[in-house]
Amino acid sequence: MLAPRLLVPIFLFSIAEAVEETVDVGYSVYKGQALPNGVSQWLGIRYAAPPLGQLRFAPPQDPPHTEGVQDATQHGKYCLGTGRSPTDTDTSEDCLFLDVQAPTSATAGSKLPVFLYIQGGGFSLNSNPNTNASGLIVNSGHGIVVVSLNYRVGPYGFMTDSDKILPNNGLRDQRKVLEWVQRHIVQFGGDPSHVTLGGSSAGAASVTFHLAANNGTDHGFFHAAIAESPSFASTLTVTQSQYMYTQFATRVGCVGRDNLACMRNKTAVELQTSNFNIPLPGASKPPNYMWLPVLDREFVQDFSYRVFQKGNFVKVPTIYGDDNNGGTKFAPKDTATLQQSNNYVLDQYPDLTLNMLGQINEMYPNPNNSCPAIGCYWRHASNVYQEARYMCPGMYVSSVVTKYGQNAWVYRWNVEDPDQMASGLGVPHTVELAALWGADYFPDPPASYRSGQINANASSAMQHYWLNFIKYYNPNGRPVDSTSNYTKWEAWADNAQSRLTFQTGGLTEMIPVDSGLKRRCEFWSTNGIALTM
């Protein structure tokens, strides 16, 4: 593969026309800063009222009006996470902030494409806060605007009951940002009619939920979608999730008639002390992630497999994809027997039947021949989890998007970092984020992704396709650039399922999906509704 080339800027402006560092968004005036690399940023913009007091566990409300100029040069604190220290000073319950990064040369009339990115964290934490999109913007030829956000997670964003708390407030926080972009992004040089919604892991699951929100009602919030390692988990109804509310209220000492008022009067430290996972109904151990969107028959109308099966989603071009070893971060490394592996999978999907588990064991032979030994079934459990939760759902959604007349592109990230390979992780969940944002802009990237190392070109390759998609809704550009040194990314087709595979060293190639993976994914899509996925 030849050296990467920068994409040609699609807008050029004089500095005299540039957006001012001080921007009035109606309810507040924010002063950001211009960086030496030609990128300006406004950090810690409040997009909703602080979710405190009576607004704890409530839908997001409009941000308050403020007097004077608000400093927008520091990130806002990110949201309290399940299982995290009650005294973590980087987090706060007052966390509903977003960041905007844009070319310094942009004007309010630039109408630049917008990339609205939702971070992951299993709906239990904000796992990638303080996104730095400077490298992506520079490599776009200073031709895009990027928005990133915090949203409530754990019980603060996803606890509900049958009466007092509206479900899925964490998703409603995200919806608030989608609405904010439509109202205000033009003042930062962005085009509200050209928005690509993206996310990773739970952020990619969020993208999928927004595609299907309110039975696929298209509010014009976004016009293309990117989902990196989208997660399909067990989805409970509001009634089924009541036990989480009851257990949490009991742990924090709020029983009796006024239990919600009691919880709203507790300090965040008191709540955090009791903020940990418990088993799902029918499971023996807590799942990797417990606080998840629930089936409320309003925002989340149906199980994801069924809502897409029915065609009840926003029809836009999509990119979906996953990492080669997306389960290794999650399955217990000490898994030593087939029974332990089955129990782990059952704890994540308690509706699995004994017959289904038997079929799973037939489809997923143990790749480790060192048994009996501690950890010899780690990869067995990992392989089942990765395909059930991430890889197969993404391929299924892509097939349905194609069926309903939109182009879909599917990728596989197989860029091997020597340290991760030596540790046994392989190519783990969401490792491509370091390539998306660039190793110089991402906290603690794999060493091989840094400049001058073996996988440095992987970032150039990924950014090439992602920027084309953000600009043109086509990862190959518009029209397809026949002079490009990059592999042409063929759109997904059910009769010829092929994925763009990112390989070690930044190489790319189209590789057909093998028959074994097709068969396993057919099992998950066939049984997905029964498993409440």
Side-chain angles (χ1 to χ4, degrees):
M1 175 178 165
L2 299 179
R5 59 185 178 82
L6 292 180
L7 299 180
V8 177
I10 54 177
F11 299 96
L12 296 173
F13 307 99
S14 69
I15 293 178
E17 297 172 315
V19 170
E20 296 292 332
E21 290 181 5
T22 301
V23 177
D24 186 348
V25 293
Y27 56 89
S28 294
V29 177
Y30 286 98
K31 180 177 173 60
Q33 63 182 146
L35 305 177
N37 59 5
V39 175
S40 289
Q41 58 187 20
W42 295 263
L43 308 178
I45 294 177
R46 193 181 291 280
Y47 69 83
L52 309 174
Q54 292 304 303
L55 295 184
R56 178 184 278 170
F57 312 128
Q61 301 299 307
D62 289 340
H65 288 254
T66 58
E67 299 295 331
V69 178
Q70 309 299 307
D71 177 70
T73 61
Q74 302 292 324
H75 295 285
K77 291 191 175 184
Y78 48 100
C79 299
L80 299 173
T82 296
R84 296 306 167 102
S85 170
T87 58
D88 185 350
T89 57
D90 292 326
T91 61
S92 171
E93 197 172 2
D94 182 8
C95 62
L96 299 185
F97 301 100
L98 60 80
D99 297 337
V100 179
Q101 292 183 281
T104 300
S105 58
T107 75
S110 295
K111 293 187 176 181
L112 296 176
V114 178
F115 183 37
L116 173 50
Y117 175 76
I118 305 174
Q119 63 180 305
F123 298 109
S124 290
L125 63 149
N126 292 166
S127 63
N128 301 110
N130 307 336
T131 297
N132 186 348
S134 289
L136 191 67
I137 294 171
V138 169
N139 286 338
S140 75
H142 294 86
I144 66 170
V145 175
V146 178
V147 180
S148 54
L149 65 137
N150 299 332
Y151 58 96
R152 284 173 292 174
V153 291
Y156 309 96
F158 293 97
M159 185 167 68
T160 186
D161 68 348
S162 300
D163 180 33
K164 301 178 286 295
I165 300 179
L166 196 66
N168 301 319
N169 284 318
L171 294 178
R172 297 175 196 278
D173 292 345
Q174 298 169 7
R175 169 73 68 85
K176 195 78 169 171
V177 176
L178 268 64
E179 294 170 348
W180 188 96
V181 166
Q182 290 300 306
R183 294 191 186 103
H184 303 299
I185 203 62
V186 67
Q187 294 165 260
F188 300 86
D191 183 356
S193 67
H194 192 129
V195 177
T196 298
L197 183 63
S200 183
S201 192
S206 299
V207 169
T208 306
F209 279 118
H210 289 294
L211 283 167
N214 310 117
N215 246 3
T217 302
D218 189 353
H219 298 283
F221 292 143
F222 56 90
H223 314 92
I226 300 175
E228 298 151 14
S229 300
S231 173
F232 274 32
S234 286
T235 304
L236 303 180
T237 66
V238 171
T239 301
Q240 288 171 329
S241 71
Q242 175 71 44
Y243 84 101
M244 298 181 187
Y245 179 97
T246 301
Q247 289 280 346
F248 188 73
T250 302
R251 289 201 299 272
V252 301
C254 290
V255 299
R257 182 172 299 175
D258 298 326
N259 49 80
L260 178 57
C262 173
M263 283 195 286
R264 283 177 169 156
N265 284 325
K266 294 287 183 180
T267 67
V269 170
E270 288 174 313
L271 294 185
Q272 278 298 93
T273 302
S274 296
N275 184 8
F276 52 82
N277 288 344
I278 60 176
L280 294 170
S284 61
K285 293 181 180 179
N288 293 326
Y289 302 106
M290 183 190 76
W291 298 106
L292 300 167
V294 298
L295 198 65
D296 60 4
R297 306 295 180 184
E298 186 254 320
F299 200 108
V300 181
Q301 291 268 350
D302 210 336
F303 302 122
S304 293
Y305 271 110
R306 184 151 56 199
V307 77
F308 278 90
Q309 185 184 83
K310 292 178 178 179
N312 295 335
F313 63 95
V314 180
K315 280 70 174 182
V316 295
T318 61
I319 289 177
Y320 271 74
D322 190 28
D323 308 276
N324 206 48
N325 306 110
T328 51
K329 281 186 178 180
F330 304 104
K333 289 187 176 181
D334 62 354
T335 305
T337 67
L338 179 60
Q339 290 82 357
Q340 288 176 346
S341 179
N342 288 165
N343 282 333
Y344 167 75
V345 175
L346 186 62
D347 286 337
Q348 317 308 314
Y349 298 101
D351 289 311
L352 280 166
T353 66
L354 295 175
N355 183 52
M356 290 177 187
L357 286 168
Q359 293 180 67
I360 289 169
N361 293 338
E362 290 178 5
M363 291 188 299
Y364 292 89
N366 186 21
N368 191 321
N369 59 10
S370 69
C371 295
I374 297 298
C376 73
Y377 270 88
W378 171 35
R379 281 302 189 93
H380 179 269
S382 299
N383 291 344
V384 176
Y385 185 78
Q386 95 172 20
E387 292 185 1
R389 195 172 187 110
Y390 303 113
M391 190 172 286
C392 293
M395 291 166 57
Y396 177 80
V397 170
S398 300
S399 292
V400 176
V401 168
T402 300
K403 174 184 175 182
Y404 282 90
Q406 292 290 340
N407 284 325
W409 290 269
V410 181
Y411 75 91
R412 178 169 68 102
W413 192 260
N414 191 35
V415 177
E416 296 182 351
D417 172 71
D419 291 340
Q420 291 177 332
M421 296 301 293
S423 72
L425 287 173
V427 184
H429 183 62
T430 69
V431 67
E432 73 269 37
L433 282 180
L436 172 61
W437 304 117
D440 292 339
Y441 304 91
F442 189 79
D444 196 26
S448 68
Y449 284 42
R450 294 190 182 278
S451 178
Q453 301 303 308
I454 186 174
N455 289 318
N457 285 338
S459 182
S460 302
M462 185 176 189
Q463 289 188 359
H464 166 81
Y465 294 109
W466 262 239
L467 287 168
N468 272 331
F469 188 79
I470 291 165
K471 288 181 176 183
Y472 308 119
Y473 309 145
N474 185 328
N476 301 295
R478 189 186 65 183
V480 174
D481 185 355
S482 60
T483 66
S484 172
N485 297 316
Y486 291 95
T487 304
K488 180 183 177 183
W489 191 345
E490 302 287 350
W492 183 260
D494 250 1
N495 61 352
Q497 296 182 357
S498 291
R499 297 177 289 181
L500 182 74
T501 302
F502 293 84
Q503 304 280 35
T504 304
L507 301 176
T508 57
E509 58 180 318
M510 293 298 302
I511 299 180
V513 175
D514 66 78
S515 59
L517 179 57
K518 286 181 180 179
R519 181 169 67 93
R520 296 190 298 273
C521 287
E522 184 177 348
F523 169 86
W524 293 113
S525 62
T526 299
N527 293 289
I529 295 170
L531 297 176
T532 69
M533 297 167 68

